Amino acid sequence: MIRNVVVGISGGVDSAVSAHLLKERGFNVLGVFMRNWDEHDEAGRCSGEQDLRDAEWACRKLNIELRQVNYVKQYWTSVFSQFLDDYQQGLTPNPDILCNKHIKFDLFHQHALQTLQYDAVATGHYARNSLGDFLEHAGGQITDDVRLLIPADTFKDQTFFLAGIAQAALRRTMFPLGGLKKTAVKELARRIGLQRLAEKRESTGICFVGKRDFKAFIREYITSKPGNFVDIDSGRIVGTHEGVHQWTVGQRCRLSSYLQPYFVARKDAASNIIYVAAGHEHPALHSTRIHIDAVNWLCSRARQQLATEGSLRCRFRFQHTKPLVDCQLRPFEVQLDAPLRAITPGQYAVFYDDVACLGAARILHGEPLQCLEQQVAMER
């Protein structure tokens, strides 16, 4: 029977309301604040200090004990170092997916369940668990059938960022906000005296970059390496850049004196060349076939179907705000029903059915429509 629950308290409204909902249901709740980054902002203030103060304030209001755990070293090794390595190799990583995978749903889970000996972990993510938002259907059985479900608030849906976690972690994870809309969460926060958090500005973007310009931030860690922008059609040099790490696929290059704007089509870290395509809708920027790494599965049935039948009809996205696109998933390959622009190596292909997130795989590269058109023409 689940009685004792550790809640990851971030200093935001979502985790605080999650803790309140757990207390309301009679669980013994312990709040834990994770310190993952130790950077100071331009004014010399540690950017996490205000979050810690807000977490302490919320726990006092809720009459919940708050402890701290420090993962700064592990975050640097598992998330930030990987982030820098990827950029140097011309990839565009997703540190939020890596943080959930390595820190929040691995190290933090181990701390809560093994070190503290609590029964379950709860977070303020907008997601649902097939075993129930409060694990009310878990029983005592360890089962492979646990699934990560799409939440009631589809606009705030965070399953995309959870797609890299281990399926086993779901068996001990509660998502108290799974059945609520964000507006209802803020309304509840005001009603229980957490108005300060309800009105707090939400953090967006990469946590360790903060409000800084990304190119300025990345220059602090990766040395500039000048190279050329090369027109993907003509092979002509059309400009220069300060390093492949400063650009991502699909980004406008802002090169002057050309009739059409240029956009990044492909990056070659070995030669330090960025290939650019003229025009936002250039075929080199669009793909229907995507090559992927191995899938991290969050649905046993989907994994078994792909293994036995060789393909799986599902839906795809590689940016959490974009609409889902129907696709055919095969081992290490995705065939989209409709072309998408700027498929980005290093990002994640995340797969869904109508109600759940099935899992995710890292994108190796997308095949440009231009190449496919040339291939078809040659076959004719």
Side-chain angles (χ1 to χ4, degrees):
M1 185 176 177
I2 297 172
R3 300 181 66 87
N4 304 312
V5 182
V6 170
V7 186
I9 298 287
S10 66
V13 68
D14 296 327
S15 59
V17 170
S18 295
H20 163 76
L21 292 171
L22 287 161
K23 270 201 79 176
E24 199 175 49
R25 282 179 167 249
F27 290 104
N28 176 35
V29 179
L30 171 68
V32 177
F33 179 87
M34 279 174 273
R35 190 182 290 279
N36 298 331
W37 187 251
D38 208 12
E39 179 64 42
H40 289 68
D41 65 18
E42 292 82 351
R45 297 182 299 265
C46 181
S47 50
E49 286 305 317
Q50 184 58 51
D51 288 335
L52 175 58
R53 284 196 292 272
D54 288 338
E56 289 170 338
W57 176 82
C59 286
R60 281 197 302 272
K61 281 275 190 181
L62 297 170
N63 196 26
I64 291 171
E65 181 188 353
L66 180 68
R67 299 182 192 174
Q68 290 186 56
V69 64
N70 190 310
Y71 293 131
V72 170
K73 183 179 178 182
Q74 296 92 329
Y75 188 94
W76 182 278
T77 304
S78 300
V79 180
F80 191 65
S81 293
Q82 181 68 52
F83 171 86
L84 294 179
D85 288 346
D86 284 347
Y87 266 106
Q88 287 180 306
Q89 293 171 37
L91 303 173
T92 304
N94 191 315
D96 292 322
I97 288 178
L98 291 178
C99 181
N100 283 325
K101 176 181 179 179
H102 295 296
I103 307 297
K104 294 179 182 176
F105 289 82
D106 186 2
L107 291 177
F108 182 59
H109 255 246
Q110 289 178 39
H111 178 70
L113 303 175
Q114 295 171 22
T115 307
L116 299 178
Q117 293 284 296
Y118 271 60
D119 303 320
V121 176
T123 76
H125 287 98
Y126 287 84
R128 302 194 88 160
N129 191 321
S130 62
L131 299 179
D133 296 338
F134 298 89
L135 296 179
E136 60 267 33
H137 309 308
Q141 301 298 313
I142 292 179
T143 171
D144 281 332
D145 292 336
V146 61
R147 302 181 72 193
L148 179 65
L149 305 181
I150 296 167
D153 194 332
T154 52
F155 180 75
K156 292 296 294 182
D157 182 358
Q158 291 173 299
T159 55
F160 181 91
F161 300 109
L162 300 174
I165 70 173
Q167 187 182 16
L170 290 172
R171 298 186 192 114
R172 296 283 197 97
T173 302
M174 296 179 176
F175 299 115
L177 306 186
L180 299 175
K181 296 285 183 89
K182 179 75 178 198
T183 50
V185 170
K186 286 192 170 187
E187 189 179 312
L188 177 56
R190 292 188 186 97
R191 208 161 63 236
I192 61 175
L194 298 176
Q195 176 126 354
R196 171 169 144 188
L197 297 189
E199 294 172 357
K200 182 178 177 179
R201 188 174 179 179
E202 288 192 56
S203 58
T204 55
I206 302 171
C207 63
F208 47 76
V209 177
K211 297 175 182 176
R212 286 170 291 183
D213 173 71
F214 181 77
K215 286 186 179 180
F217 170 81
I218 205 75
R219 273 197 294 267
E220 294 178 20
Y221 297 94
I222 301 177
T223 307
S224 295
K225 187 180 177 184
N228 293 322
F229 286 118
V230 173
D231 187 304
I232 200 163
D233 294 317
S234 68
R236 286 189 305 115
I237 295 172
V238 292
T240 59
H241 61 81
E242 293 299 311
V244 295
H245 59 280
Q246 295 189 12
W247 298 89
T248 191
V249 171
Q251 187 177 353
R252 184 172 176 171
C253 303
R254 302 202 178 280
L255 301 173
S256 57
S257 306
Y258 293 99
L259 289 174
Q260 288 197 81
Y262 274 107
F263 297 86
V264 175
R266 182 165 60 87
K267 301 189 292 182
D268 188 333
S271 65
N272 202 32
I273 290 173
I274 296 178
Y275 292 94
V276 294
H280 188 273
E281 298 305 314
H282 192 288
L285 297 169
H286 293 76
S287 305
T288 53
R289 187 182 298 164
I290 304 164
H291 297 273
I292 57 172
D293 215 331
V295 176
N296 174 70
W297 288 105
L298 295 174
C299 176
S300 303
R301 286 194 297 270
R303 179 182 67 231
Q304 289 160 4
Q305 184 180 332
L306 183 65
T308 55
E309 299 179 17
S311 69
L312 174 73
R313 284 296 293 175
C314 57
R315 305 171 88 188
F316 162 98
R317 67 162 53 110
F318 76 105
Q319 293 170 311
H320 83 283
T321 56
K322 299 294 184 182
L324 290 163
V325 174
D326 290 333
C327 72
Q328 195 80 15
L329 174 60
R330 300 186 183 92
F332 304 105
E333 184 182 294
V334 184
Q335 184 67 45
L336 303 175
D337 285 11
L340 287 178
R341 186 181 182 277
I343 296 294
T344 309
Q347 289 283 294
Y348 285 81
V350 181
F351 306 104
Y352 291 84
D353 62 15
D354 291 338
V355 298
C357 175
L358 305 178
R362 203 155 195 234
I363 294 171
L364 300 177
H365 65 92
E367 284 191 26
L369 285 181
Q370 191 179 41
C371 295
L372 292 175
E373 289 167 358
Q374 291 169 353
Q375 185 180 326
V376 170
M378 287 173 66
E379 287 172 357
R380 284 177 186 160

